Amino acid sequence: MAHLLSTSCSIKLSSSHRPQSQPFRQCPTKCLTFFTLGASKYPFKRFVLQGRTQQANCVVRAAVAPISQETPTQSSSGPQQNSSEPFKPKRVMVIGGDGYCGWATALHLSNKGYEVAIVDNLIRRHFDLQLGLDSLTPIASIHNRLRCWQSVTGKTIELYIGDICDFEFLSETFKSFEPDAVVHFGEQRSAPYSMIDRNRAVFTQHNNVIGTLNVLFAIKEFRDQCHLVKLGTMGEYGTPNIDIEEGYITITHNGRTDTLPFPKQASSFYHLSKVHDSNNIAFTCKAWGIRATDLNQGVVYGVRTDETEMHEELCNRLDYDAVFGTALNRFCVQAAVGHPLTVYGKGGQTRGYLDIRDTVQCVELAIANPAQPGEFRVFNQFTEQFSVNELASLVTKAGEKLGLDVKTISVPNPRVEAEEHYYNAKHTKLIELGLRPHLLSDSLLDSLLNFSIKFKDRVDTKQIMPSVSWKNIGVKPKTLSA
């Protein structure tokens, strides 16, 4: 089944339609670019331009070429490196850089002086079309986003459009950009999406596990000193009745002691894919000497960073639906439109949370302080712990201050999870590297609520209630009602 995405860009059409292997340069010619996700084994394998005149529409099926305007000048304030200093990455590839966390991270790193390239197949936008969803915030095309970023800052971010599950595409991308660090957000990141039906469960596992394997092989083959910063999830651990350590736990059993990976209790096909990733990365660090940092991230909230605030076209997406929306973001949008806050089950589910400004800060710290060759580090990336009931209470109080009548309802829990449990996860390593957390405060909640109120006319209330059941997942493809 083919799916169509469109966005505008400026490309000069030549009479020769050869595949491009160099960055596009901006030109005055305007055309409409279509990204077609075909049903082939490698849907992004070839790059094709079709057009009769310079003003004609053109079709792009996967691009091995980044979008770039001018060769960027090395910022004097950016990270520096010479042969006498320890390894410090300067060129960072952000896989999945068009997504919620990836976009904010790419801008942040570029603003800090790193040379950045985004690698993305734009499938996150396709999921919205597929499921009838939309971001609360209107988001510009990736091309217009990057042109805006250059216009505002003078900095260029390169763009490679393609599927990392296609190793040929990924290889050419690695050889072209030559990254010192890879930040890997390029995975299907929704637990509910992975539980819709068999097709999406298989897609999630294939996309996430094979894509990460390809990244590992690309590092081994083409950039063996490259530092992999992989976005994992706290959901790998589940909710054990003991404290959650950062990746490893020291155990004494039958008189013998060893330090072992912390037990994993994933709760969806998405979370299981993350566990498989962690095992594959740990193995390749041991076998090939790869340097890697696994960031087991908590639930992210917020939309604004210093960089996305610079211009409206740089605005990040904000998901409020029951498939991709995270708890606090969803609650704030529900309060803004007068919908009762939807607490699943008893509401005692407790998780780690962090502001998106801390997501980008954590990634930057991991890059600036890379792992050693052969080292597999695990950092728990969150700043505070809340239960769902606690979040609902905080949003209710903040909403009342703004004159909102906020109600809470308990809805049947679509997930298979403990609704009351012990939860205490350690998260000291990023603090030790210099993380300065933005803790959830009344002013931040006010800001997020006001932001939700500003765009409340874009809310589709039919997308609020959960429609994906862990127990009712089936073999037949399921179409969610729009």
Side-chain angles (χ1 to χ4, degrees), residues 390-417:
E390 288 172 334
L391 288 181
S393 176
L394 289 169
V395 172
T396 298
K397 292 176 182 177
E400 289 173 350
K401 293 179 181 178
L402 297 177
L404 300 175
D405 183 18
V406 184
K407 304 295 185 183
T408 298
I409 59 172
S410 175
V411 301
N413 192 348
R415 306 186 179 210
V416 177
E417 62 182 358

Side-chain angles (χ1 to χ4, degrees), residues 270-384:
Y270 156 73
H271 291 105
L272 284 163
S273 75
K274 293 288 194 176
V275 173
H276 301 329
D277 287 338
S278 295
N279 289 333
N280 287 337
I281 297 169
F283 169 74
T284 55
C285 286
K286 183 186 297 183
W288 303 340
I290 285 177
R291 57 174 91 217
T293 301
D294 202 2
L295 298 177
N296 282 338
Q297 184 167 252
V299 183
V300 183
Y301 59 82
V303 65
R304 291 187 170 107
T305 63
D306 290 345
E307 291 76 23
T308 63
E309 288 270 76
M310 291 181 180
H311 192 280
E312 63 181 8
E313 277 201 298
L314 300 177
C315 185
N316 206 350
R317 69 178 301 122
L318 185 68
D319 298 304
Y320 63 88
D321 60 89
V323 177
F324 289 99
T326 57
L328 185 58
N329 287 349
R330 288 193 298 109
F331 282 176
C332 287
V333 173
Q334 290 168 14
V337 298
H339 191 288
L341 309 188
T342 52
V343 171
Y344 294 174
K346 297 179 180 179
Q349 303 93 317
T350 302
R351 302 291 186 268
Y353 288 81
L354 75 162
D355 190 303
I356 194 167
R357 291 173 294 179
D358 292 337
T359 287
V360 302
Q361 190 184 168
C362 290
V363 173
E364 181 195 356
L365 286 169
I367 293 171
N369 301 274
Q372 297 300 310
E375 182 184 8
F376 178 57
R377 304 185 303 186
V378 181
F379 297 162
N380 291 344
Q381 183 174 303
F382 70 95
T383 56
E384 297 177 276

Side-chain angles (χ1 to χ4, degrees), residues 113-406:
Y114 290 91
E115 297 175 46
V116 177
I118 286 176
V119 178
D120 206 301
N121 62 3
L122 307 183
I123 200 169
R124 177 62 190 87
R125 295 172 185 257
H126 164 67
F127 292 154
D128 280 352
L129 296 177
Q130 182 188 74
L131 301 179
L133 309 176
D134 201 0
S135 166
L136 176 72
T137 53
I139 52 174
S141 73
I142 185 62
H143 305 86
N144 288 342
R145 279 177 154 186
L146 295 183
R147 292 191 186 102
C148 179
W149 177 247
Q150 185 184 32
S151 175
V152 170
T153 67
K155 300 176 184 293
T156 298
I157 295 177
E158 297 185 21
L159 173 65
Y160 295 80
I161 297 174
D163 189 349
I164 65 170
C165 289
D166 175 2
F167 191 69
E168 181 180 342
F169 160 77
L170 187 62
S171 299
E172 292 303 313
T173 302
F174 260 74
K175 288 185 284 188
S176 173
F177 184 68
E178 298 182 334
D180 299 314
V182 171
V183 181
H184 186 11
F185 288 101
E187 300 198 333
Q188 193 294 100
R189 56 92 169 168
S190 164
Y193 187 90
S194 75
M195 301 300 294
I196 292 174
D197 54 35
R198 187 202 68 86
N199 284 344
R200 292 176 175 93
V202 170
F203 168 81
T204 298
Q205 297 253 329
H206 180 272
N207 180 81
N208 295 1
V209 178
I210 301 305
T212 299
L213 271 174
N214 280 348
V215 171
L216 292 167
F217 272 95
I219 291 173
K220 176 182 183 293
E221 186 70 19
F222 307 115
R223 299 291 291 176
D224 61 351
Q225 289 300 305
C226 182
H227 177 210
L228 173 62
V229 179
K230 171 69 170 59
L231 267 292
T233 171
M234 290 297 295
E236 292 186 32
Y237 299 121
T239 54
N241 197 37
I242 59 173
D243 291 354
I244 297 174
E245 305 296 331
E246 297 203 61
Y248 299 91
I249 186 170
T250 300
I251 297 174
T252 299
H253 178 65
N254 290 341
R256 304 186 69 84
T257 300
D258 201 353
T259 298
L260 303 169
F262 196 94
K264 306 297 177 66
Q265 301 181 72
S267 58
S268 72
F269 288 119
Y270 156 73
H271 291 105
L272 284 163
S273 75
K274 293 288 194 176
V275 173
H276 301 329
D277 287 338
S278 295
N279 289 333
N280 287 337
I281 297 169
F283 169 74
T284 55
C285 286
K286 183 186 297 183
W288 303 340
I290 285 177
R291 57 174 91 217
T293 301
D294 202 2
L295 298 177
N296 282 338
Q297 184 167 252
V299 183
V300 183
Y301 59 82
V303 65
R304 291 187 170 107
T305 63
D306 290 345
E307 291 76 23
T308 63
E309 288 270 76
M310 291 181 180
H311 192 280
E312 63 181 8
E313 277 201 298
L314 300 177
C315 185
N316 206 350
R317 69 178 301 122
L318 185 68
D319 298 304
Y320 63 88
D321 60 89
V323 177
F324 289 99
T326 57
L328 185 58
N329 287 349
R330 288 193 298 109
F331 282 176
C332 287
V333 173
Q334 290 168 14
V337 298
H339 191 288
L341 309 188
T342 52
V343 171
Y344 294 174
K346 297 179 180 179
Q349 303 93 317
T350 302
R351 302 291 186 268
Y353 288 81
L354 75 162
D355 190 303
I356 194 167
R357 291 173 294 179
D358 292 337
T359 287
V360 302
Q361 190 184 168
C362 290
V363 173
E364 181 195 356
L365 286 169
I367 293 171
N369 301 274
Q372 297 300 310
E375 182 184 8
F376 178 57
R377 304 185 303 186
V378 181
F379 297 162
N380 291 344
Q381 183 174 303
F382 70 95
T383 56
E384 297 177 276
Q385 294 180 176
F386 298 102
S387 71
V388 174
N389 284 331
E390 288 172 334
L391 288 181
S393 176
L394 289 169
V395 172
T396 298
K397 292 176 182 177
E400 289 173 350
K401 293 179 181 178
L402 297 177
L404 300 175
D405 183 18
V406 184

